[in-house]
């Protein structure tokens, strides 16, 4: 079945630094979504990418969908303590159901 | 804002008990989902439903069943709870068919089976 792999599993970042988390699929995706889960909270939808090569920005967050629609990335610039949490990607290859990655858990050193 | 409400935040049940997890959404969403979340494994789909009285198996349906008698309510049932079903259970809903909508999740139910 479809698998979505996410790396790294953990990311320890110095406040003010940038980092990137990556998402890779074994199959071509029709779309990809990103979610953020704060510690003790539930996943919250951030964004959806649909087009090959699509890039979307939300303030300091930049989301990219690969040309082959099999990978995606989330890049955060100038990390802040409010960025702490787990970031999940979720992809669909059949517009039927989403498969979630295992998530990247981000901690920030002040 | 859409609200997805899960009836219990924490539950402790004994092995062999029948367990009901309830989820209610208030925005007339068509689709509802049950996931379990375990460290290092992400979110895994248990069951989902596209309409009242309709249900589809997800990736890990074994040991679970569901019920959707009303559009706003989707229940997850553990017929005979086992310790390997100790997990965080998340309910979600979306307004339409397919995956073109972001999921709205409930706050989760942390179930411990002893």
């Amino acid at each position: 079945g479809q698998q979505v792999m996410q790396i790294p599993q953990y990311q320890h970042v110095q406040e003010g630094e940038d980092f990137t988390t990556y998402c890779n699929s074994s199959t071509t995706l029709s779309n990809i979504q990103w979610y953020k889960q704060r510690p003790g909270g539930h996943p919250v939808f951030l964004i959806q990418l649909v087009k090959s090569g699509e890039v979307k920005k939300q303030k300091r967050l930049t989301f990219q969908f690969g040309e082959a629609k099999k990978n995606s990335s989330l890049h955060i610039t100038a990390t802040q303590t409010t960025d702490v949490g787990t970031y999940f990607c979720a992809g669909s290859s059949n517009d039927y159901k989403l498969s979630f990655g295992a998530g990247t858990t981000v901690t920030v050193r002040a | 804002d859409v609200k997805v409400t899960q009836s219990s935040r924490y539950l402790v049940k004994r092995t062999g008990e029948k367990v009901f997890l309830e989820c209610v959404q208030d925005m007339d969403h068509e689709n509802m989902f049950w996931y379990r979340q375990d460290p290092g494994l992400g979110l895994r789909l248990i069951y989902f439903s596209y309409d009242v009285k309709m249900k589809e198996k997800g990736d890990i349906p074994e040991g679970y069943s569901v019920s959707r008698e009303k559009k706003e309510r989707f229940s997850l049932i553990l017929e005979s709870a086992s310790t390997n079903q100790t997990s965080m259970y998340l309910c979600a809903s979306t307004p339409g068919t397919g995956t073109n909508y972001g999921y709205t999740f409930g706050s989760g139910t942390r179930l411990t089976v002893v």
Side-chain angles (χ1 to χ4, degrees), chain A residues 54-72:
Chain A
E54 188 171 14
V55 178
K56 288 188 176 180
K57 292 189 175 184
Q58 288 181 349
K59 298 183 180 178
R60 293 178 297 102
L61 277 62
T62 301
F63 304 85
Q64 188 166 5
F65 202 6
E67 293 291 339
K69 300 183 76 173
K70 296 180 76 172
N71 57 74
S72 181

Side-chain angles (χ1 to χ4, degrees), chain B residues 50-114:
Chain B
Y50 286 143
D51 201 351
V52 175
K53 295 192 185 296
M54 293 184 66
K55 60 185 179 183
E56 297 282 345
K57 291 181 180 179
D59 298 319
I60 52 164
E62 295 78 19
Y64 303 94
S65 62
V66 290
S67 172
R68 195 166 181 200
E69 296 295 319
K70 293 184 178 181
K71 191 174 186 179
E72 67 270 19
R73 185 180 298 270
F74 193 35
S75 303
L76 180 69
I77 303 155
L78 286 66
E79 296 291 341
S80 177
S82 63
T83 54
N84 62 13
Q85 292 178 311
T86 291
S87 186
M88 170 68 85
Y89 289 88
L90 290 162
C91 176
S93 72
T94 62
T97 303
T99 59
N100 289 322
Y101 304 90
Y103 286 22
T104 299
F105 283 90
S107 297
T109 296
R110 186 166 293 281
L111 173 68
T112 302
V113 182
V114 298

Side-chain angles (χ1 to χ4, degrees), chain A residues 2-13:
Chain A
Q2 174 187 312
Q3 285 192 332
V4 175
M5 309 300 292
Q6 202 170 344
I7 55 170
Q9 187 175 357
Y10 298 98
Q11 184 83 52
H12 309 290
V13 188

